[in-house]
């Protein structure tokens, strides 16, 4: 085997039979559920447990900063970002499910649910700006958001696993 064969074996574009894809999927959803609106979840837990006055103040400041940042980006370039995301996801869906490109299918199955998480984050950020919850109410709001993100993640992993098994059985039967 040449070096080029080794590289292509390591970076196999048959995503659903590749361990690296499944590691990336797990790391992605783990990271997304840990960083709730850009705030690490352990910071929320420290604030909830009452580790000093500064823990809650730091948590509230972090949520305020990240909420403002998220809403600013949405207000300034939300239409452009929505168009780019729609184009990218549509391209991946067509390449993947119409033309049978497995790599595009994998990217779509990873990106589409993350788009839902992004929209959910915008909704939560708007609620936080309007209601201005503080203390335990803010932690509870982020906990509900995190639970919804985890539900989306579980559904995404399930659908991706089912589609991946189907693809591997289909290609295994053909090959």
């Amino acid at each position: 085997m040449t070096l080029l064969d080794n590289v292509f074996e390591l970076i196999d574009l048959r995503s659903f039979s590749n361990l690296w894809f499944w590691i990336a999927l797990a790391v992605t959803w783990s990271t997304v559920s840990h960083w709730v609106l850009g705030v690490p979840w352990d910071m929320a837990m420290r604030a909830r447990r009452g580790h000093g006055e500064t823990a809650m103040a730091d948590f509230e400041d972090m949520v305020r900063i990240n909420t403002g940042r998220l809403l600013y980006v949405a207000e300034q370039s939300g239409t452009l970002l929505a168009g780019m995301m729609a184009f990218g996801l549509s391209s991946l869906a067509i390449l993947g499910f119409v033309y049978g490109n497995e790599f595009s299918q994998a990217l779509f199955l990873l990106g589409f649910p993350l788009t839902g998480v992004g929209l959910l984050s915008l909704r939560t950020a708007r609620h936080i700006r309007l209601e201005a919850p503080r203390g335990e109410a803010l932690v509870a709001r982020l906990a509900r958001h995190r639970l919804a993100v985890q539900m989306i993640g579980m559904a995404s992993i399930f659908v991706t696993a089912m589609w991946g098994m189907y693809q591997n059985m289909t290609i295994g039967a053909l090959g």
Side-chain angles (χ1 to χ4, degrees):
M1 284 178 94
T2 66
L3 176 64
L4 193 58
D5 291 333
N6 287 335
V7 169
F8 283 126
E9 179 69 27
L10 184 64
I11 307 171
D12 184 11
L13 293 181
R14 282 202 47 240
S15 302
F16 299 114
S17 63
N18 192 330
L19 179 63
W20 292 108
F21 170 73
W22 297 105
I23 291 172
L25 183 73
V27 167
T28 298
W29 284 108
S30 174
T31 303
V32 168
S33 89
H34 177 70
W35 291 87
V36 182
L37 290 181
V39 179
W41 185 245
D42 60 295
M43 188 177 212
M45 291 295 90
R46 266 196 317 273
R48 177 180 270 172
R49 289 187 198 112
H51 289 285
E53 293 177 9
T54 59
M56 185 58 81
D58 289 348
F59 170 71
E60 289 174 349
D61 289 342
M62 190 82 153
V63 171
R64 181 185 49 78
I65 289 167
N66 284 331
T67 298
R69 193 174 130 261
L70 185 64
L71 292 174
Y72 176 77
V73 169
E75 290 164 3
Q76 294 301 312
S77 56
T79 306
L80 178 65
L81 287 173
M84 289 172 31
M85 288 300 299
F87 173 77
L89 287 173
S90 298
S91 298
L92 288 173
I94 291 168
L95 286 171
F97 299 105
V98 174
Y99 292 106
N101 183 309
E102 191 174 313
F103 187 66
S104 296
Q105 291 172 1
L107 289 178
F108 178 82
L109 290 171
L110 190 60
F112 183 71
L114 289 174
T115 304
V117 169
L119 293 172
L120 183 65
S121 295
L122 273 175
R123 181 175 167 250
T124 302
R126 285 194 177 113
H127 280 285
I128 289 172
R129 178 181 276 176
L130 289 173
E131 298 167 4
R134 301 193 52 89
E136 187 62 35
L138 182 58
V139 174
R141 167 66 75 179
L142 260 61
R144 284 191 307 272
H145 175 77
R146 183 174 189 247
L147 180 63
V149 168
Q150 288 174 330
M151 292 298 158
I152 292 170
M154 286 190 321
S156 171
I157 290 170
F158 178 77
V159 168
T160 302
M162 291 297 112
W163 183 256
M165 283 189 281
Y166 170 74
Q167 287 294 99
N168 287 335
M169 288 189 305
T170 302
I171 290 172
L174 296 176

